[in-house]
């Protein structure tokens, strides 16, 4: 644990102080409201910017679960790289807000109904799940050094998947270059 | 105190929002963004379970966090390939609307 000024030692040692219900609901609400804004907004730029806020809320939730490394990765990769990619493509293609087409009410109602049924099923399963009523156990151990722990696991038990993911990213890079090359005529 | 169920419920709501986006929107870019929302909802429940299952050393179960790391990596690659396909499509057809891409539709 680096003696960082951002996370006081006491807060790391006693994770329950971070996981206050008030902050949890604030960030969860932030994430959900802006997640809904992604779907509702007519303008793709507004959708992309709402997605950034939604991901920041999610990063805060990761940190409330003592996953600091993943929270920071979330901000760097999603709010940084992926969002720049989205905005860059939107600007490159010069996409405007969708013109108001005739809405197919039957299809819209069907889509909302299917999503609502899925949500009802999930909440039913969660409400029947006994363990879900328990609070999170306190971490009795020493300080949380999750960068080291995740890294050690990544390079020991999950070494082969890690290398396969490296090959996957390489293939994706080559594929993107190939796809975005102008066709030779 | 927040329970495991709270996190799972929030994750489920986020997944449903993303699912509704994929079902309802016709702009391919917004569909890709909704896919990201669904992937992140799955990540949230994975991290919640990781924190919930504390091992004898008093540490969270880091297997789930490694899995989330892989999911983030694959999702980033997926977005890059998806947007490249989108650009190639836009070059050929000048549209990003799924309603206009119906050549394979029966």
């Amino acid at each position: 644990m680096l003696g960082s000024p951002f996370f006081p030692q006491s807060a790391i040692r006693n994770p329950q102080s971070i996981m206050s219900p008030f902050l949890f609901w604030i960030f969860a609400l932030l994430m959900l409201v802006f997640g809904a804004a992604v779907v509702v907004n007519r303008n793709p730029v507004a959708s992309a910017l709402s997605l950034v806020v939604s991901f920041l809320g999610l990063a805060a939730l990761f940190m409330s679960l003592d996953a600091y490394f993943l929270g920071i990765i979330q901000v760097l990769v999603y709010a940084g790289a992926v969002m720049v990619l989205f905005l860059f493509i939107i600007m490159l293609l010069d996409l405007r807000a969708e013109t108001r087409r005739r809405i197919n009410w039957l299809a819209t109602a069907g889509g909302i109904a299917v999503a609502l049924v899925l949500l009802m099923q999930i909440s039913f399963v969660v409400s029947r799940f006994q363990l879900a009523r328990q609070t999170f156990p306190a971490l009795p151990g020493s300080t949380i050094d999750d960068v080291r722990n995740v890294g050690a696991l990544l390079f020991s038990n999950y070494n082969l998947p890690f290398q396969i993911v490296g090959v996957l990213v390489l293939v994706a890079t080559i594929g993107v270059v190939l796809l975005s090359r102008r066709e030779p005529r | 105190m927040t329970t495991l169920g709270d996190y799972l419920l929030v994750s489920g709501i986020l997944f449903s929002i993303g699912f509704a986006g994929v079902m309802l929107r016709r702009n391919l870019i917004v569909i890709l963004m909704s896919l990201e929302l669904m992937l992140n909802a799955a990540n949230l429940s994975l991290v919640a379970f990781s924190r919930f299952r504390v091992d004898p050393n008093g540490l969270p179960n880091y297997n789930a966090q490694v899995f989330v790391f892989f999911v983030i990596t694959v999702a980033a690659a997926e977005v890059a390939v998806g947007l490249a396909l989108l650009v190639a499509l836009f070059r050929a057809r000048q549209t990003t609307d799924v309603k206009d891409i119906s050549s394979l539709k029966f």
Side-chain angles (χ1 to χ4, degrees):
Chain A
M1 160 68 200
L2 304 168
S4 77
F6 301 108
F7 300 114
Q9 200 78 1
S10 60
I12 299 268
R13 277 189 194 282
N14 182 10
Q16 300 294 343
S17 66
I18 290 178
M19 217 185 310
S20 83
F22 179 68
L23 281 181
F24 166 74
W25 287 113
I26 290 278
F27 283 119
L29 215 63
L30 189 80
M31 182 182 79
L32 293 178
V33 166
F34 279 90
V38 172
V39 177
V40 172
N41 262 320
R42 201 169 284 277
N43 189 344
V45 179
S47 285
L49 293 178
S50 307
L51 197 58
V52 174
V53 181
S54 182
F55 284 161
L56 290 180
L58 188 64
L61 288 187
F62 281 173
M63 291 191 179
S64 80
L65 289 166
D66 299 314
Y68 300 104
F69 175 61
L70 287 180
I72 289 167
I73 287 285
Q74 178 84 13
V75 172
L76 286 181
V77 173
Y78 274 113
V82 171
M83 276 308 107
V84 169
L85 203 59
F86 269 118
L87 285 173
F88 181 75
I89 295 295
I90 292 170
M91 306 279 174
L92 180 75
L93 301 185
D94 196 19
L95 297 178
R96 300 290 160 81
E98 283 172 39
T99 50
R100 196 174 286 274
R101 287 194 182 188
R102 193 173 52 82
I103 299 175
N104 186 349
W105 286 109
L106 191 66
T108 309
I112 292 174
V114 171
L116 277 181
V117 167
L118 176 71
L119 181 60
M120 276 160 56
Q121 284 177 337
I122 291 172
S123 52
F124 178 72
V125 169
V126 170
S127 68
R128 294 289 297 270
F129 183 38
Q130 289 294 330
L131 286 176
R133 292 186 200 138
Q134 296 178 18
T135 55
F136 289 90
L139 295 179
S142 53
T143 55
I144 293 176
D145 196 357
D146 65 340
V147 180
R148 176 179 301 174
N149 291 327
V150 170
L153 212 55
L154 202 58
F155 286 108
S156 59
N157 286 5
Y158 295 97
N159 201 350
L160 181 65
F162 185 63
Q163 294 184 32
I164 292 173
V165 161
V167 174
L168 176 80
V169 172
L170 177 69
V171 169
T173 313
I174 295 171
V176 167
V177 171
L178 208 66
L179 277 172
S180 53
R181 201 183 45 169
R182 199 167 282 283
E183 300 241 335
R185 291 283 172 198
Chain B
M1 273 302 144
T2 49
T3 60
L4 176 64
D6 293 339
Y7 279 93
L8 293 184
L9 197 64
V10 167
S11 153
I13 296 172
L14 189 65
F15 191 92
S16 304
I17 289 173
F19 185 66
V22 172
M23 300 285 283
L24 295 176
R25 293 303 302 261
R26 289 178 307 205
N27 191 336
L28 262 176
I29 284 200
V30 181
I31 289 177
L32 273 174
M33 290 181 198
S34 304
L35 279 177
E36 293 302 306
L37 282 183
M38 290 161 80
L39 284 167
N40 278 296
N43 283 351
L44 178 59
S45 52
L46 274 172
V47 175
F49 277 114
S50 144
R51 178 64 181 77
F52 187 70
R53 190 59 76 186
V54 174
D55 65 4
N57 299 327
L59 289 171
N61 190 338
Y62 282 109
N63 290 299
Q65 297 200 12
V66 172
F67 193 52
V68 170
F69 177 82
F70 285 136
V71 170
I72 289 177
T73 318
V74 173
E78 172 235 318
V79 166
V81 175
L83 287 177
L85 282 171
L86 191 75
V87 171
L89 178 77
F90 194 83
R91 248 184 222 150
R93 294 284 184 86
Q94 278 76 42
T95 182
T96 59
D97 196 315
V98 289
K99 280 283 187 305
D100 298 335
I101 315 162
S102 52
S103 306
L104 283 177
K105 200 171 175 182
F106 184 61

